[in-house]
């Protein structure tokens, strides 16, 4: 069985400072990992994905994440926060080696960006 | 390409009423999914389909039914709505079952 734990339900940063959103996963198979972002009253947008190629993954809007198998982590980072980054972020794991191909979502981290 | 669209965007039901949510995708994806989103719980899988004419239960299927008569459409039905089904419902589709593309969501309130 697979699971995802997002270690912080809320993160608050000042504009221009670094962002770190933490995610740990558990998977019986070779995982695909994703970060999705959801702005208020909107659908989910893919930020980036890891599918067993490079362990450092670059996404949209300056975000990146590093897959660390030894730590079972996939933390999301950005060097400098922007006001438009305020949203909810979901870490997601996929069962790549099973027929269902469903995603398991973390409970989300709400990012606040202070001016 | 419209991507993934959902109809309706909002709906209010009374307990015991029925309704159908429609999801359509124009990307020729094989896999389609229905999720519900509740505060503090992320998204939970209700039902999914790996191809036209096939459906399967997800994590929270009770009280819902689905049909995939056409490859591009995935319908979610509530036969007798309950207040516990108040939620935001998201449809998603995927080509090979990996990266998923999401619709804008349907906000459902059951009184």
């Amino acid at each position: 069985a697979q699971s995802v734990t997002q270690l912080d339900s809320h993160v608050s940063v000042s504009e221009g400072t670094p962002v770190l959103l933490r995610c740990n996963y558990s998977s019986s198979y070779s995982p695909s990992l994703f970060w999705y972002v959801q702005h208020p009253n909107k659908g989910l947008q893919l930020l980036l994905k890891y599918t067993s190629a490079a362990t450092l993954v670059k996404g949209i809007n300056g975000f990146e994440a590093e897959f660390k198998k030894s730590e079972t982590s996939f933390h999301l980072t950005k060097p400098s926060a922007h006001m438009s980054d305020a949203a909810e972020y979901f870490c997601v794991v996929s069962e790549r080696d099973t027929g269902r191909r469903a995603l398991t979502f973390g409970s989300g981290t709400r990012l606040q960006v202070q001016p | 390409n419209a991507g993934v669209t959902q109809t309706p965007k909002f709906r209010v039901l009374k307990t015991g009423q029925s309704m159908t949510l429609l999801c359509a995708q124009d990307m020729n994806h094989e896999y389609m999914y229905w999720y519900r989103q509740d505060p503090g719980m992320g998204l939970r899988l209700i039902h999914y389909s790996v191809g036209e004419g096939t459906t399967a239960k997800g994590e929270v299927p009770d009280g819902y039914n689905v049909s995939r008569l056409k490859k591009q459409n995935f319908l979610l039905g509530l036969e007798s709505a309950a207040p516990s089904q108040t939620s935001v419902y998201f449809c998603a589709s995927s080509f090979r079952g990996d990266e998923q593309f999401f619709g804008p969501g349907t906000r459902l309130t059951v009184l």
Side-chain angles (χ1 to χ4, degrees):
Chain A
Q2 60 186 23
S3 65
V4 177
T5 302
Q6 292 185 241
L7 298 167
D8 306 291
S9 58
H10 290 87
V11 170
S12 183
V13 300
S14 298
E15 191 174 21
T17 64
V19 176
L20 170 64
L21 305 184
R22 299 182 295 163
C23 172
N24 287 116
Y25 71 93
S26 171
S27 176
S28 302
Y29 303 96
S30 300
S32 286
L33 293 159
F34 307 83
W35 277 97
Y36 281 85
V37 61
Q38 184 180 31
H39 290 276
N41 300 311
K42 300 288 186 183
L44 282 83
Q45 179 184 19
L46 181 68
L47 271 182
L48 50 81
K49 62 180 178 180
Y50 164 79
T51 54
S52 79
T55 57
L56 182 61
V57 182
K58 294 189 184 298
I60 61 172
N61 300 333
F63 285 94
E64 62 181 39
E66 186 171 8
F67 173 71
K68 291 186 176 180
K69 187 175 182 179
S70 61
E71 299 176 10
T72 61
S73 69
F74 191 57
H75 301 334
L76 181 70
T77 61
K78 183 174 180 177
S80 175
H82 191 272
M83 294 297 291
S84 61
D85 294 329
E88 184 133 24
Y89 292 79
F90 294 96
C91 182
V92 183
V93 63
S94 172
E95 294 178 334
R96 286 170 56 204
D97 296 325
T98 68
R100 192 175 76 162
R101 304 284 185 156
L103 302 181
T104 298
F105 283 74
S107 55
T109 298
R110 184 165 298 278
L111 176 64
Q112 283 185 308
V113 182
Q114 309 289 348
Chain B
N1 283 353
V4 180
T5 58
Q6 292 183 232
T7 309
K9 289 185 170 51
F10 303 93
R11 186 73 186 267
V12 178
L13 290 178
K14 295 181 180 178
T15 297
Q17 288 184 317
S18 63
M19 78 163 294
T20 300
L21 282 67
L22 171 63
C23 175
Q25 53 93 5
D26 61 2
M27 298 174 281
N28 201 35
H29 285 170
E30 290 293 335
Y31 295 77
M32 295 188 74
Y33 308 84
W34 276 106
Y35 295 89
R36 59 178 289 171
Q37 183 179 30
D38 301 295
M41 302 186 74
L43 273 70
R44 292 180 293 167
L45 182 65
I46 303 171
H47 286 280
Y48 65 100
S49 168
V50 299
E52 181 179 320
T54 71
T55 63
K57 294 180 180 180
E59 189 183 350
V60 288
D62 294 341
Y64 306 94
N65 56 76
V66 289
S67 64
R68 183 107 181 262
L69 299 179
K70 294 183 179 180
K71 186 177 183 178
Q72 64 267 35
N73 295 338
F74 195 30
L75 279 62
L76 177 71
L78 286 71
E79 290 186 348
S80 179
S84 61
Q85 294 177 305
T86 293
S87 189
V88 181
Y89 292 85
F90 287 98
C91 176
S93 71
S94 174
F95 180 54
R96 290 198 180 97
D98 213 347
E99 176 183 347
Q100 294 185 12
F101 296 82
F102 285 83
T106 294
R107 189 173 296 273
L108 175 66
T109 301
V110 183
L111 302 175

